Amino acid sequence: MATATSSKAASWDPAEVKAELLKQYPSKVARKRAKQIMINEALENETPEISANVRTIPGIITMRGCTYAGCKGVIMGPTRDIVNLVHGPIGCSFYAWLTRRNQTDAGPDGENYMTYCFSTDMQEQDIIFGGEKKLADAIQEAYDLFHPKSIAIFATCPVGLIGDDIHTVAANMKKKLGDCNVYAFSCEGYKGVSQSAGHHIANNQVFRHIVGENDEVKPGKFKINLLGEYNIGGDGFEIDRIFDKCGITCISTFSGNSTYDQFASAHTADLNAVMCHRSINYVADMLETKFGIPWIKVNFIGAGATAKSLRKIAEYFGDKELIDRVEEVIAEEMPEVEAAAAEVLPRTEGKTAMMFVGGSRAHHYKELFNEMGMKTISAGYEFGHRDDYEGRRVIPDIKVDADSRNIEEIEVEADPTRYQPRKSAKEIEALEKAGYSFKYYDGLMPDMDKGTMIIDDLNQYEAEKLVELMKPDIFCAGIKEKFSIQKLGIPMKQLHSYDSGGPYAGFKGAVNFYHEIDRLVNSKVWGYLQAPWQRNPQLSASYNY
Ligand code: CFM
């Protein structure tokens, strides 16, 4: 089956593309990669099983990051008033310092440690003789300087290898300091196969050490938590603006523009709205089990998706005033979005995109491309699990391997005094009958067209090959991919850090995105871009006897 793409590309056959990607590998590697490269069937209830959340084959240049990145950088990084102290060599701290573009508002108290880089700066002698004393001293120093309400400690690879007991150091220092919550994360980079393990480790410790610490009831009629929104490029600010306008109170965001107290109060909200399923579903499940707060999947990437998510939240509360207000807000916001879409559409319609991002954006951003009339011809996650591809229905069938078993699953029970189901079984049933689904995520695959390519843990070689064969109009991934793809003459948009752009969430974000992508896919500059070896084919020589 040949699938037509944009004008400049010829046509491609997904089976041929797949064969071509695999051709270069030794047979054992090819067999393994074949299970991670799927040709989408677009079947409603049945999608092909993809192999995901498995080790990258050594020697392959993966796009993934490490477990420490997922814990320190992703989940804990955006919280402004916790001192994030890295126990390890300075490089791990330096590369995790202000690189993710998670923005913050220092708030009325001005307590903001985000711009600092806290590290124990381990040296060879600490590796040999142990770094526990150095860690305790660093905690004391940070406390003396800033008097923060909380200090989080992050383990890097050498800490796990030499066996420093960071949890005991944290517990002792917590006791000694008295008014500072100190806890540690065993998030050594090697701990899991990707960032994803770091998310899980962070979720567990936040739940264990912070959530539920503040029982004070906050004002607000419709109280939610927004889980899995990290305020990259100001996305969270735009979502907060919309919530405020609708009269929805966001008790806590995990963890864009968040504070320690937001986490501590999360159990006082009445609904958990989950944006990035991959990184935070553990907290959503634990909040439900322990406190009785249900969760739903939302998406604020795409104007249509934003409207849909707002309606979903309003429907949950079932309050006429809120439902009407949400409709008013949508009616107020949409004309600007529609005008922007109409303006770019003649130039963007029919163009093609590829997206390879962490564990949820490759799905969420499809909405924005759809709104511009663009087709996603290939997508995948760096570290998504099967449920992020195929939907949560496959969770019971996911094989737990040694790598996942390595990550702690914490046992959570209903809180003896504070568990309180926010909706009765009857109310839940009524909502479900009306088409509402709780605790559910459909995944990327059912949303992708038939014959498109879905690839897990794409690597450098395959990315370039894919671009060469399928010639998309735009390729979206991260900084490591940016320049190798642009050298091929294809515009590359960073969907992790947004290059220097954003926000792209909500209504105003959609307008930003349309304009930016329009400029990228319609710029003539890419046609002039030829690498030296494209202009002058490689010289080859033969011996002259
Ligand atoms: Fe969730 Fe994220 Fe993502 Fe993620 Fe990330 Fe990110 Fe991402 Mo980069 S939490 S899974 S670990 S949406 S940092 S804000 S862009 S890979 S797709």
Side-chain angles (χ1 to χ4, degrees):
M1 178 197 64
T3 311
T5 63
S6 74
S7 50
K8 85 179 145 161
S11 57
W12 40 266
D13 178 303
E16 276 170 26
V17 172
K18 181 169 176 172
E20 196 60 35
L21 293 182
L22 295 173
K23 211 170 78 184
Q24 198 72 5
Y25 293 128
S27 59
K28 205 174 150 196
V29 176
R31 269 202 307 280
K32 200 165 173 233
R33 283 301 295 155
K35 294 185 196 144
Q36 291 174 280
I37 302 175
M38 312 307 292
I39 299 164
N40 200 42
E41 305 276 356
L43 299 175
E44 230 168 57
N45 284 312
E46 230 176 286
T47 43
E49 180 180 327
I50 191 163
S51 168
N53 191 30
V54 292
R55 289 185 192 186
T56 302
I57 298 156
I60 281 184
I61 317 261
T62 175
M63 291 179 178
R64 285 173 167 174
C66 69
T67 298
Y68 157 80
C71 181
K72 194 270 176 191
V74 175
I75 308 293
M76 299 309 287
T79 307
R80 68 173 160 88
D81 58 358
I82 298 177
V83 164
N84 284 336
L85 174 58
V86 176
H87 188 30
I90 197 65
C92 303
S93 308
F94 183 74
Y95 287 106
W97 183 32
L98 295 179
T99 49
R100 187 163 165 253
R101 296 193 73 242
N102 43 252
Q103 299 185 358
T104 197
D105 170 349
D109 57 18
E111 215 181 327
N112 177 19
Y113 306 118
M114 207 97 95
T115 50
Y116 293 91
C117 181
F118 298 95
S119 173
T120 54
D121 184 21
M122 277 181 122
Q123 303 292 320
E124 280 90 339
Q125 64 177 33
D126 305 316
I127 306 284
I128 296 162
F129 299 110
E132 289 176 12
K133 170 123 195 354
K134 196 167 193 184
L135 175 61
D137 291 347
I139 296 168
Q140 186 68 52
E141 193 184 339
Y143 179 80
D144 293 341
L145 281 171
F146 297 102
H147 292 279
K149 45 182 84 75
S150 180
I151 299 177
I153 297 147
F154 300 89
T156 56
C157 295
V159 170
L161 296 175
I162 66 175
D164 272 0
D165 185 355
I166 55 171
H167 300 284
T168 299
V169 174
N172 291 343
M173 289 307 289
K174 179 178 174 173
K175 214 160 134 202
K176 183 181 170 199
L177 301 175
D179 62 351
C180 180
N181 191 357
V182 190
Y183 39 84
F185 298 84
S186 287
C187 58
E188 292 85 353
Y190 61 75
K191 196 84 178 226
V193 301
S194 70
Q195 290 95 311
S196 171
H199 302 151
H200 197 164
I201 292 163
N203 280 223
N204 288 347
Q205 293 297 74
V206 167
F207 201 79
R208 191 180 260 147
H209 294 281
I210 318 178
V211 172
E213 287 291 299
N214 186 0
D215 283 327
E216 182 197 317
V217 178
K218 304 264 158 76
K221 200 166 165 199
F222 310 109
K223 290 187 263 193
I224 68 164
N225 297 317
L226 180 60
L227 305 191
E229 208 308 306
Y230 299 93
N231 203 19
I232 311 298
D235 276 354
F237 293 147
E238 164 66 358
I239 299 172
D240 285 345
R241 178 189 73 84
I242 298 169
F243 284 164
D244 282 350
K245 212 169 158 182
C246 293
I248 296 164
T249 306
C250 190
I251 296 290
S252 85
T253 302
F254 284 68
S255 57
N257 190 32
S258 62
T259 58
Y260 176 84
D261 187 58
Q262 287 188 21
F263 293 160
S265 314
H267 64 301
T268 64
D270 294 317
L271 174 70
N272 286 317
V274 175
M275 174 110 166
C276 168
H277 170 263
R278 181 65 271 135
S279 61
I280 208 83
N281 70 85
Y282 320 95
V283 163
D285 279 342
M286 291 187 281
L287 276 168
E288 172 152 37
T289 312
K290 190 165 179 186
F291 300 104
I293 313 169
W295 70 261
I296 55 168
K297 177 73 178 73
V298 293
N299 174 24
F300 290 98
I301 301 295
T306 299
K308 197 172 152 197
S309 297
L310 290 172
R311 288 185 175 122
K312 220 166 153 184
I313 292 169
E315 196 187 340
Y316 169 82
F317 288 103
D319 178 281
K320 174 90 174 49
E321 207 181 299
L322 178 64
I323 292 170
D324 290 347
R325 182 64 195 141
V326 159
E327 290 308 324
E328 269 168 43
V329 170
I330 295 169
E332 259 173 60
E333 299 278 338
M334 279 311 279
E336 193 196 337
V337 175
E338 280 157 6
E343 199 231 308
V344 301
L345 207 67
R347 293 183 299 270
T348 54
E349 192 155 32
K351 301 257 187 212
T352 58
M354 286 184 181
M355 273 181 283
F356 294 91
V357 211
S360 70
R361 292 194 168 170
H363 187 194
H364 289 165
Y365 275 79
K366 194 173 171 286
E367 295 279 341
L368 276 172
F369 282 119
N370 282 352
E371 289 172 1
M372 306 178 72
M374 290 177 63
K375 187 172 149 67
T376 305
I377 51 175
S378 185
Y381 299 131
E382 288 170 26
F383 51 74
H385 297 200
R386 274 187 63 202
D387 38 321
D388 302 299
Y389 286 103
E390 301 168 59
R392 282 179 67 94
R393 69 173 74 81
V394 303
I395 291 178
D397 310 328
I398 295 178
K399 208 173 78 231
V400 182
D401 62 8
D403 291 311
S404 344
R405 213 168 289 126
N406 203 18
I407 311 302
E408 185 191 17
E409 281 285 350
I410 60 177
E411 287 291 329
V412 178
E413 283 170 8
D415 190 280
T417 54
R418 296 180 294 177
Y419 177 82
Q420 178 216 330
R422 302 313 201 257
K423 294 265 176 206
S424 67
K426 233 174 143 189
E427 287 169 316
I428 296 269
E429 206 192 299
L431 277 164
E432 279 174 342
K433 268 212 182 110
Y436 212 90
S437 51
F438 286 101
K439 221 181 165 138
Y440 201 73
Y441 174 46
D442 272 326
L444 165 70
M445 281 173 160
D447 233 11
M448 291 286 289
D449 290 347
K450 192 174 166 70
T452 53
M453 315 269 313
I454 295 174
I455 308 177
D456 182 61
D457 189 16
L458 188 80
N459 55 57
Q460 167 100 45
Y461 163 74
E462 290 170 10
E464 290 187 14
K465 203 68 194 159
L466 211 56
V467 165
E468 182 194 314
L469 296 169
M470 295 171 80
K471 296 189 175 53
D473 292 296
I474 193 163
F475 189 92
C476 306
I479 187 65
K480 299 194 289 295
E481 294 72 53
K482 179 141 186 119
F483 300 102
S484 69
I485 297 298
Q486 289 193 164
K487 281 176 187 169
L488 300 172
I490 303 286
M492 149 73 216
K493 176 69 193 165
Q494 289 192 65
L495 279 192
H496 298 260
S497 71
Y498 299 167
D499 296 295
S500 52
Y504 300 134
F507 301 110
K508 297 220 182 301
V511 173
N512 283 341
F513 195 78
Y514 301 160
H515 289 315
E516 237 183 86
I517 298 300
D518 173 32
R519 280 198 297 272
L520 277 169
V521 298
N522 288 302
S523 167
K524 289 202 173 67
V525 74
W526 306 108
Y528 298 121
L529 223 162
Q530 267 195 328
W533 59 88
Q534 290 169 304
R535 273 196 311 271
N536 306 305
Q538 200 179 341
L539 287 178
S540 55
S542 55
Y543 288 109
N544 188 359
Y545 293 106

